[in-house]
Amino acid sequence: MSAHGEPQPMMSSPVTGLSGIAEVPGDKSISHRSLILGALSVGETKITGLLEGQDVLDTAKAMQAFGAEVVQHGPGAWSVHGVGVGGFAEPDQVIDCGNSGTGVRLIMGCMATSPISVTFTGDASLNGRPRARVTDPLALFGTQTVGRSGGRLPMTIVGAAEPVPVRYVVPVPSAQVKSAVLFAGLNAPGKTVVIEKEATRDHTERMLAGFGAEITVEDTDEGRVITLTGQPELKPQEIAVPRDPSSAAFPVCAAIITPGSDVLVPGIGLNPTRAGLYTTLRDMGADLTYENERIEGGEPVADLRARFSPDMKGIEVPPERAASMIDEYPILSVVAANATGRTLMAGVKELRVKESDRIDAMATGLRANGVTVDEGDDWWAVEGLGPQGVPGGAECKSHLDHRIAMSFLIMGMAAQNPVSVDDGQPILTSFPIFTGLMGDLGAKLVQTNA
Ligand code: S3P
């Protein structure tokens, strides 16, 4: 199957006793950045543990279109022979980023300060998502943009021939926007300054420093002030991509809500800008322990052990934690439906502009399966049913969104009746081994049109 192919309906039936070791794939955010920074370096970057999901493969193809040599040597083992900062060639073809908001925004950033014109497109989900949050700051460098009505893709960006550095306060908590501005700043002379009021995932800052850029980060009253000196020569690196905490969330939460379960998910990055879900699960009373805590490649890493947790309580998730778990609210809402009492998730407006409107997509599917959900513009609340679990029995729409599809399939494992999704294809964008891995733990997942 390809992530760009026909819809693939799937069904997940109730099970007990999920058990075993779940080796989830490489981190999606770090995988995109490894390929991009490899392409912007002079010489050969070697990567192991790369996520080979469709989103990242689309970024690999894009880097080739800009002139980098990208080669797969074995499962997860890749090399990128880069063209250097300012060395991107103008692609002959349209750059198709598929489903990936991260891919398109990061790539727009790194071509924006080169004198080339690039046309971007994607799937129906990507082409409907807001673009101004990236094209507005890129215009400050001197880029020009022509898109469809409402600033939607397909869109052509004409890179700035004589870019100027910028000082930009990111108006929404978004690591993608921050990263796009920093990547654009790489080829502008002088210092580009990006200020974020709320800390978002900091992989770009860490990796730029690792590739030899001059970059500083200061916590001030204004927020996190990131200062990058333009036109460095980036030095190729050897990168071991850690396993993805956002993918680990699915087997961890499956074990927590499914009776009799005990699952070990090894080698998960617990960078504080990514680990909010795990703190939240522990706040709810989940039986989740960190084993073998260690530092790997400068990042805190642990093996996560998750066991069935029948005594979980609903909580108010602190809004200031949102950025560190923004991709995990869909699966958290499934856990919340299995806890006792109400879970309130506030300060989460960003969920409305992800691969789908994730509040709407989850609320609709939860309600269809017997769960009460309230929602407002930037909050939602789930009434937990406790250990009796969710009635289930209904089909949910995945809206071309991998995390929605996986969340509902996990819900089916602990529900009273099977839960279906209309399309499991999008799962291939971030977690291509999801079905096999969950099956090995004891889940019953089937394609219903096979
Ligand atoms: C990502 C940032 C987040 C996240 C996405 C990956 C990244 O998006 O939702 O899955 O790699 O920078 P925003 O930056 O738009 O919040």
Side-chain angles (χ1 to χ4, degrees):
M1 343 191 250
S2 123
H4 299 155
E6 288 298 302
Q8 178 60 74
M10 291 180 74
M11 185 170 78
S12 172
S13 300
V15 290
T16 53
L18 296 173
S19 70
I21 298 178
E23 296 195 328
V24 304
D27 190 284
K28 183 154 72 71
S29 294
I30 297 177
S31 293
H32 282 295
R33 288 160 172 81
S34 300
L35 292 167
I36 290 171
L37 284 164
L40 291 169
S41 306
V42 180
E44 191 179 57
T45 285
K46 293 183 177 159
I47 309 169
T48 52
L50 189 85
L51 166 65
E52 287 163 346
Q54 192 60 46
D55 279 9
V56 175
L57 298 178
D58 287 336
T59 289
K61 241 168 88 184
M63 292 305 105
Q64 276 170 324
F66 287 110
E69 206 182 297
V70 184
V71 180
Q72 184 190 23
H73 300 276
W78 291 65
S79 64
V80 183
H81 204 99
V83 293
V85 169
F88 272 11
E90 186 170 85
D92 297 337
Q93 300 293 336
V94 169
I95 299 293
D96 185 348
C97 290
N99 189 252
S100 182
T102 308
V104 77
R105 293 193 175 115
L106 267 47
I107 297 168
M108 283 178 169
C110 57
M111 59 68 53
T113 45
S114 292
I116 55 176
S117 299
V118 183
T119 301
F120 293 91
T121 193
D123 70 5
S125 155
L126 191 66
N127 289 0
R129 293 178 68 184
R131 222 44 57 198
R133 55 172 59 195
V134 173
T135 53
D136 286 354
L138 296 185
L140 304 174
F141 288 95
T143 62
Q144 290 175 311
T145 300
V146 186
R148 285 195 303 148
S149 58
R152 288 171 303 147
L153 297 182
M155 171 178 279
T156 299
I157 298 197
V158 182
E162 291 181 18
V164 289
V166 310
R167 183 175 196 280
Y168 190 67
V169 181
V170 186
V172 286
S174 170
Q176 294 175 357
V177 174
K178 167 178 69 177
S179 303
V181 178
L182 289 171
F183 285 151
L186 277 175
N187 200 35
K191 292 192 192 303
T192 285
V193 179
V194 183
I195 300 162
E196 55 178 4
K197 290 177 209 134
E198 287 171 55
T200 62
R201 66 191 68 195
D202 62 358
H203 306 301
T204 299
E205 298 90 303
R206 287 175 188 249
M207 292 178 75
L208 276 169
F211 275 81
E214 200 182 311
I215 181 165
T216 59
V217 181
E218 273 175 287
D219 283 315
T220 71
D221 292 346
E222 229 186 331
R224 277 182 88 240
V225 179
I226 306 154
T227 306
L228 173 73
T229 304
Q231 301 184 323
E233 182 172 308
L234 297 182
K235 301 195 177 38
Q237 297 297 302
E238 291 199 3
I239 302 172
V241 179
R243 297 183 196 276
D244 196 326
S246 299
S247 297
F250 296 101
V252 163
C253 292
I256 284 172
I257 63 172
T258 303
S261 299
D262 184 350
V263 169
L264 184 74
V265 190
I268 300 305
L270 291 176
N271 176 322
T273 63
R274 294 289 299 281
L277 172 75
Y278 300 109
T279 309
T280 301
L281 291 173
R282 301 217 292 191
D283 288 352
M284 294 172 82
D287 185 350
L288 171 65
T289 50
Y290 298 165
E291 297 180 357
N292 194 14
E293 287 182 63
R294 56 205 185 266
I295 301 287
E296 274 179 16
E299 297 268 356
V301 168
D303 304 336
L304 305 182
R305 171 153 241 132
R307 297 184 180 88
F308 176 52
S309 309
D311 299 323
M312 276 184 306
K313 302 273 181 291
I315 62 165
E316 291 189 7
V317 183
E320 61 276 13
R321 199 180 282 165
S324 69
M325 54 181 289
I326 196 66
D327 290 336
E328 282 68 73
Y329 282 95
I331 188 64
L332 176 65
S333 69
V334 170
V335 174
N338 286 273
T340 302
R342 181 180 171 94
T343 293
L344 174 66
M345 297 165 278
V348 292
K349 202 169 184 180
E350 282 295 298
L351 292 180
R352 296 215 178 264
V353 291
K354 293 293 177 187
E355 284 83 331
S356 66
D357 175 340
R358 285 183 169 162
I359 297 179
D360 184 60
M362 287 307 299
T364 305
L366 284 163
R367 287 180 191 129
N369 283 281
V371 183
T372 301
V373 183
D374 293 328
E375 63 180 289
D377 188 32
D378 69 343
W379 64 271
W380 51 321
V382 173
E383 298 296 339
L385 292 156
Q388 72 178 48
V390 171
E395 186 185 81
C396 307
K397 286 198 172 23
S398 55
H399 298 278
L400 289 177
D401 188 332
H402 51 135
R403 300 198 201 282
I404 300 300
M406 289 188 278
S407 296
F408 284 127
L409 292 172
I410 298 290
M411 185 164 89
M413 294 171 199
Q416 293 159 24
N417 295 287
V419 173
S420 306
V421 293
D422 64 336
D423 187 10
Q425 278 284 338
I427 295 171
L428 298 178
T429 61
S430 70
F431 200 160
I433 60 170
F434 173 80
T435 305
L437 179 145
M438 291 308 307
D440 289 347
L441 297 178
K444 269 197 222 153
L445 291 174
V446 288
Q447 298 182 355
T448 45
N449 68 349

